[in-house]
Amino acid sequence: MTRTAEVTRQTAETKIRVALNLDGTGLSKLDTGIGFLDHMLDQIARHGLIDLDIACEGDLHIDGHHTVEDIGITLGQAVAQAVGDKKGIRRYGHAYVPLDEALSRVVVDFSGRPGLQMDVHFTSGMLGSLDTQLVFEFFQGFVNHALVTLHIDNLKGVNAHHQCETIFKAFARAVRMALELDPRSAGVIPSTKGSL
């Protein structure tokens, strides 16, 4: 079973292409126009073992909002497409990731129901050219289109770079766990409802 997808999204504000392989080796090719966002997307690829190719032309002369949110949307669409009917996946994933003084926990459920609970208090408003308020917008766009329930908690952290990096690394690890194929439930949809 090949779990790959390629999605393009074009609006008056952004032009985005996302290609991915959920069963990759963590390779990435990233060009969003926002250096720190590229760094965070690289964490998703590397720690999620997802081959990820993302290119975006956005209206960065205004600010990063449309670019960051729309990349979250397009990535969510690509993940949903690649996952397919969800037969045989573990469905749930969780991870705690530290980076020096920072510690984050992420829990994900490929439930078919979008929901985001995020408790993160960044100690800085900007990380390079990434407005830290947009991290929420990225994940909101992702959950709405990947159709997942996602809980993100930064439990400790003083350095905003560390806070953000632990969030993205924990997200990657949680998604990796949830999307692993469980040999004990091969071909079975992990729900008593029979569909997700």
Side-chain angles (χ1 to χ4, degrees):
M1 180 174 68
T2 303
R3 299 194 298 173
T4 61
E6 183 171 340
V7 175
T8 57
R9 172 184 169 87
Q10 185 163 357
T11 70
E13 298 163 340
T14 59
K15 179 180 179 183
I16 300 169
R17 175 186 167 273
V18 172
L20 58 77
N21 178 359
L22 296 179
D23 301 303
T25 59
L27 299 175
S28 66
K29 181 180 177 187
L30 306 164
D31 184 14
T32 68
I34 301 174
F36 196 85
L37 180 60
D38 288 349
H39 181 44
M40 294 301 99
L41 293 170
D42 191 35
Q43 305 306 320
I44 294 174
R46 192 75 51 95
H47 293 278
L49 292 181
I50 297 170
D51 291 344
L52 196 54
D53 184 347
I54 299 178
C56 177
E57 296 174 21
D59 55 359
L60 295 177
H61 61 284
I62 296 174
D63 70 5
H65 192 288
H66 302 139
T67 292
V68 176
E69 180 180 26
D70 288 3
I71 288 171
I73 288 169
T74 312
L75 179 61
Q77 291 171 336
V79 168
Q81 183 178 314
V83 172
D85 63 12
K86 304 177 190 171
K87 286 182 180 176
I89 67 168
R90 296 189 185 278
R91 176 178 167 178
Y92 301 100
H94 64 273
Y96 285 82
V97 170
L99 176 55
D100 296 342
E101 87 299 342
L103 174 66
S104 292
R105 174 185 61 218
V106 173
V107 183
V108 66
D109 176 10
F110 276 77
S111 60
R113 297 182 306 277
L116 175 62
Q117 293 294 321
M118 185 167 162
D119 187 8
V120 179
H121 304 282
F122 285 110
T123 59
S124 176
M126 296 295 292
L127 291 166
S129 59
L130 176 67
D131 181 341
T132 54
Q133 293 182 90
L134 300 182
V135 174
F136 177 88
E137 301 303 330
F138 170 85
F139 285 113
Q140 186 69 73
F142 178 84
V143 302
N144 285 344
H145 293 270
L147 301 178
V148 301
T149 299
L150 183 64
H151 289 254
I152 300 173
D153 294 284
N154 175 236
L155 305 175
K156 297 178 181 180
V158 174
N159 182 294
H161 185 133
H162 295 169
Q163 289 176 292
C164 198
E165 192 163 330
T166 58
I167 289 166
F168 276 84
K169 285 179 175 176
F171 171 74
R173 291 277 173 167
V175 167
R176 176 178 164 185
M177 178 188 291
L179 294 181
E180 283 180 344
L181 296 175
D182 184 349
R184 295 181 63 198
S185 63
V188 176
I189 294 173
S191 171
T192 56
K193 294 191 296 289
S195 66
L196 287 171

